[in-house]
Amino acid sequence: MDYRKLLHIPQKCFHKLMNHHLSLIGAAASLPLFGMATAFAVAQNGAQPAAPDIQQKEVTERLSLPAFSFSESGTRYWRDEAIQRGDTIARVLNRLGIRDSEANRFLHSSPLSKDLLKLKTGATLSVQTNDLGELFGLRFLNDDENGEQVLVAVEKVNGEWQASADPIATEAVQTVRSLLITRSVGATLAKAQVPRDIRAQLSEIFADQFNINSLGKGDRINLVYETLLYNGAPIAAGNLLGVEIQRSGKLHQAFYFAHDSESGAYYDALGKPIKQGFSHQPVANARISSGFGFRKHPILRSLRLHSGVDYAAATGTPIIAPADGTMVKVERQNGYGNMVEIRHNQKMTTLYAHMSRFAQGARAGKSVKAGEVIGYVGSTGRSTGPHLHFEVRINGQAVDPATNALPTPGLSATQLAEFKSGNQSLTAHLKLLRELPTNIALLD
């Protein structure tokens, strides 16, 4: 290759550039730019000016904040406070920052008995107040001398304090719980705030099939039950409407069916009785005239939790033990009148009140057999007429005798159709709870 030819290439390009007038004009126009670049390069390589000496000074000044105050609302609202050992109403109000001398004077002179104003440890005192700490009302559940619960309500109406004796309207709403057993059954139910009476019912529904305490880690309980509301706030639990237990991979279901306005029982999805119940009723061929739950007391005219069922029967009608057991009380009390209490096992006791007289030989410590006469119907104690008041208690907690102890009747064809129709929504609720991947401990 002849490298000498390469030397002539730049010479030819320069010659053409100089001979073309447009190229010459472009080259001339570019000269200022080359000058600016050169000047810039020179400036960059020149001496830098000295940085100014900046003086720093720390200034501390107290600034006044603008005046700000919370707007106090006169809106009334309810606060719930758990009752501690030794609490009185005055002590709880003081703990809540409520000091109302007028209300305290009324409480000391109210028509309610001193016993009804005593607070039970573990109960809840609901207090109506506002942001100013003014007191407008309080209410709580308490036991009277008859063993029944009354809603004690003290309210300020038109500027005057009064203890309400009017019947209180309650609203029943459905509450659901879905619980995965991680520890003991009792601890899981208590942590989920399942009411004591619902827990007592639950322990007995499947008692003929298994002990609920046998549930272990990984088993599940799904519940649908009634919560009774008064002025929008829960005051007690109603019926346990539906329950299913997944135990060791097997599903157990129970649904409540009301036979009439006063009694009902639990059945499986096919309408078959869940629980056998006692072999006898305490009064043969008698109807339940007043069922378990909240009702207006016929004498005190206030809302009360009827802790048993009443059998309408004539004075002198024999009362029999519905199952084997041991008499633990045979005595006279103010509210119950002549009463007998029988223990049937470690958990269950039954109570019979308002007897006209006891059976011959009845005494505490005596064993009785199912069907044995223990007394006779009467109207002693706090009673409006001859009847038997019959209670069932599980670990000291009153439960509905109709669903926990009394014989469970079979369903007629008409009742079975009604049962299946009414259970559609409950079945859907339980199915939804069963498919949820998490616990539902509280729905309000």
Side-chain angles (χ1 to χ4, degrees):
M1 181 176 181
D2 188 358
Y3 292 98
R4 288 176 296 180
K5 293 182 179 180
L6 296 176
L7 298 175
H8 297 291
I9 294 176
Q11 296 176 358
K12 292 180 179 179
C13 290
F14 180 76
H15 179 73
K16 290 181 178 181
L17 178 63
M18 297 304 294
N19 290 334
H20 197 286
H21 66 281
L22 292 177
S23 298
L24 184 60
I25 294 173
S30 301
L31 290 176
L33 297 177
F34 290 121
M36 291 176 62
T38 303
F40 177 77
V42 172
Q44 285 289 86
N45 293 329
Q48 296 292 331
D53 186 15
I54 301 176
Q55 299 294 326
Q56 295 183 354
K57 182 179 181 180
E58 183 177 343
V59 178
T60 302
E61 184 177 354
R62 185 180 298 276
L63 301 177
S64 60
L65 296 175
F68 180 81
S69 61
F70 291 96
S71 59
E72 294 179 330
S73 170
T75 303
R76 302 180 185 183
Y77 53 87
W78 287 92
R79 297 177 60 180
D80 291 339
E81 182 73 7
I83 306 304
Q84 303 172 15
R85 184 179 298 276
D87 269 347
T88 62
I89 293 177
R91 181 174 296 178
V92 175
L93 293 180
N94 186 63
R95 188 162 67 233
L96 295 176
I98 300 172
R99 295 172 178 83
D100 193 316
S101 57
E102 182 185 353
N104 285 326
R105 284 195 300 271
F106 174 79
L107 289 171
H108 282 94
S109 61
S110 74
L112 300 177
S113 71
K114 299 296 183 182
D115 288 338
L116 280 180
L117 293 176
K118 290 180 180 178
L119 302 179
K120 292 176 59 178
T121 302
T124 299
L125 176 66
S126 298
V127 179
Q128 189 183 40
T129 184
N130 61 13
D131 291 338
L132 299 174
E134 296 178 284
L135 181 65
F136 298 97
L138 56 87
R139 60 179 181 235
F140 58 95
L141 291 170
N142 202 356
D143 293 332
D144 71 352
E145 61 183 9
N146 200 28
E148 296 180 350
Q149 283 193 322
V150 56
L151 181 65
V152 179
V154 180
E155 300 173 295
K156 194 173 188 178
V157 179
N158 298 324
E160 297 292 333
W161 284 98
Q162 64 181 37
S164 175
D166 297 328
I168 299 173
T170 60
E171 175 189 3
V173 297
Q174 288 189 5
T175 300
V176 301
R177 296 284 189 273
S178 181
L179 309 171
L180 181 67
I181 306 301
T182 56
R183 297 184 293 169
S184 68
V185 175
T188 301
L189 292 171
K191 184 179 180 181
Q193 300 179 33
V194 176
R196 284 183 60 198
D197 46 350
I198 296 296
R199 281 144 56 184
Q201 290 183 57
L202 182 62
S203 69
E204 288 301 304
I205 289 177
F206 298 105
D208 291 349
Q209 302 176 34
F210 59 86
N211 186 337
I212 193 171
N213 292 321
S214 67
L215 268 64
K217 187 175 181 180
D219 292 335
R220 181 175 288 275
I221 300 176
N222 297 323
L223 303 171
V224 181
Y225 62 87
E226 292 175 325
T227 296
L228 300 180
L229 303 180
Y230 169 56
N231 284 347
I235 61 170
N239 288 320
L240 176 56
L241 301 176
V243 54
E244 68 175 21
I245 294 179
Q246 291 175 304
R247 175 177 176 266
S248 301
K250 185 177 180 181
L251 187 65
H252 302 266
Q253 291 182 318
F255 302 91
Y256 179 79
F257 179 75
H259 301 135
D260 50 43
S261 61
E262 303 297 343
S263 64
Y266 289 99
Y267 300 85
D268 65 15
L270 299 178
K272 296 180 179 179
I274 294 289
K275 193 173 176 63
Q276 182 67 33
F278 290 156
S279 56
H280 297 78
Q281 291 196 110
V283 181
N285 302 319
R287 66 178 180 87
I288 295 178
S289 58
S290 181
F292 179 89
F294 274 93
R295 68 184 179 101
K296 184 179 177 183
H297 193 277
I299 296 178
L300 302 180
R301 315 302 295 174
S302 59
L303 181 72
R304 311 177 67 76
L305 174 62
H306 191 217
S307 53
V309 296
D310 290 347
Y311 284 94
T315 299
T317 302
I319 301 170
I320 63 174
D324 295 352
T326 301
M327 292 182 176
V328 292
K329 288 183 181 179
V330 180
E331 60 191 32
R332 184 180 181 90
Q333 296 183 359
N334 290 335
Y336 285 130
N338 293 329
M339 59 85 66
V340 170
E341 185 175 344
I342 299 176
R343 176 168 293 280
H344 300 279
N345 52 46
Q346 289 185 341
K347 296 189 301 179
M348 181 180 288
T349 60
T350 55
L351 184 147
Y352 314 78
H354 308 309
M355 293 180 174
S356 59
R357 59 189 176 93
F358 303 117
Q360 186 175 3
R363 56 177 174 79
K366 180 186 177 182
S367 296
V368 292
K369 294 292 184 181
E372 182 179 340
V373 176
I374 59 174
Y376 301 88
V377 172
S379 187
T380 56
R382 187 176 294 157
S383 172
T384 55
H387 72 282
L388 169 67
H389 174 78
F390 173 62
E391 291 185 18
V392 175
R393 295 177 179 175
I394 305 296
N395 294 325
Q397 175 67 45
V399 296
D400 188 351
T403 59
N404 291 276
L406 296 178
T408 304
L411 299 179
S412 66
T414 302
Q415 288 176 321
L416 183 60
E418 184 181 351
F419 169 79
K420 291 183 176 181
S421 175
N423 276 358
Q424 292 179 359
S425 62
L426 286 176
T427 302
H429 286 328
L430 293 174
K431 182 176 183 296
L432 177 62
L433 293 175
R434 191 186 321 142
E435 295 173 350
L436 288 176
T438 185
N439 281 11
I440 296 180
L442 186 59
L443 282 186
D444 291 326

